[in-house]
Amino acid sequence: MARAKTGIAYSLWALGFVGICGLHRFYTGQIVLGLVYLFTFGLFGIGQLIDLVLVPGMVKTRNDQLRRQYLAEWGDEGLVMPVSIERNLVAAQSIPQTQNDSMQQLLRVAHANGGRLSKAQVALHTGLNPERVDALIQEALRYGYADVTNDPESGAVRYVFDL
């Protein structure tokens, strides 16, 4: 899920010093106000200055909108809940490490673990080296077998498999 970042919003806000006002409004999803700021030089500079303190709230609001949109599209499957350390993960059966067999092994591990994995879990349960794990996950993403999401608490990357 894409997220707006405060630093980028402030960088776009700073472009108002060179006469390009309102880009931070576009970035935070406020298209109409972005156009107004663009054509009025940030409401004659006053709105631009006021936005200096409003940018963090705009970014938070935009991220909340993106989160709601993501949940509307993906439902509860889009959420990744933190996994406690005590949880026992089920390892896939050991099979030969050819390219196609590696993908099958990855899919088995994902299925056995509820469709949600980190790269470390893939490496642990498949025995593959980190470079092969990266390549295998990228292949799964390219074929649409998995999507990338973040743990809402820790921000850790999780791969969600459609099984």
Side-chain angles (χ1 to χ4, degrees), residues 1-5 27 62-63 65-67 70 148 150:
M1 176 176 77
R3 292 177 38 108
K5 296 184 179 357
Y27 181 70
R62 178 62 175 162
N63 286 334
Q65 290 169 344
L66 291 170
R67 188 174 301 111
Y70 182 77
V148 181
N150 293 90

Side-chain angles (χ1 to χ4, degrees), residues 99-117:
Q99 186 170 1
N100 291 336
D101 289 342
S102 295
M103 182 59 74
Q104 289 297 316
Q105 188 177 10
L106 172 64
L107 294 174
R108 284 188 190 106
V109 169
H111 184 266
N113 292 294
R116 298 185 194 315
L117 294 173

Side-chain angles (χ1 to χ4, degrees), residues 41-52:
F41 297 104
L43 297 175
F44 308 106
I46 297 169
Q48 193 76 7
L49 285 175
I50 292 172
D51 281 356
L52 180 62

Side-chain angles (χ1 to χ4, degrees), residues 35-100:
L35 288 170
V36 169
Y37 273 51
L38 188 64
F39 293 116
T40 63
F41 297 104
L43 297 175
F44 308 106
I46 297 169
Q48 193 76 7
L49 285 175
I50 292 172
D51 281 356
L52 180 62
V53 294
L54 298 180
V55 165
M58 285 187 254
V59 170
K60 182 183 181 318
T61 301
R62 178 62 175 162
N63 286 334
D64 290 343
Q65 290 169 344
L66 291 170
R67 188 174 301 111
R68 283 192 301 275
Q69 179 182 351
Y70 182 77
L71 289 175
E73 291 174 13
W74 292 95
D76 288 339
E77 293 178 10
L79 286 177
V80 176
M81 299 309 292
V83 177
S84 68
I85 294 175
E86 293 81 27
R87 179 175 171 193
N88 293 324
L89 298 173
V90 181
Q93 296 176 355
S94 178
I95 57 176
Q97 299 298 317
T98 66
Q99 186 170 1
N100 291 336

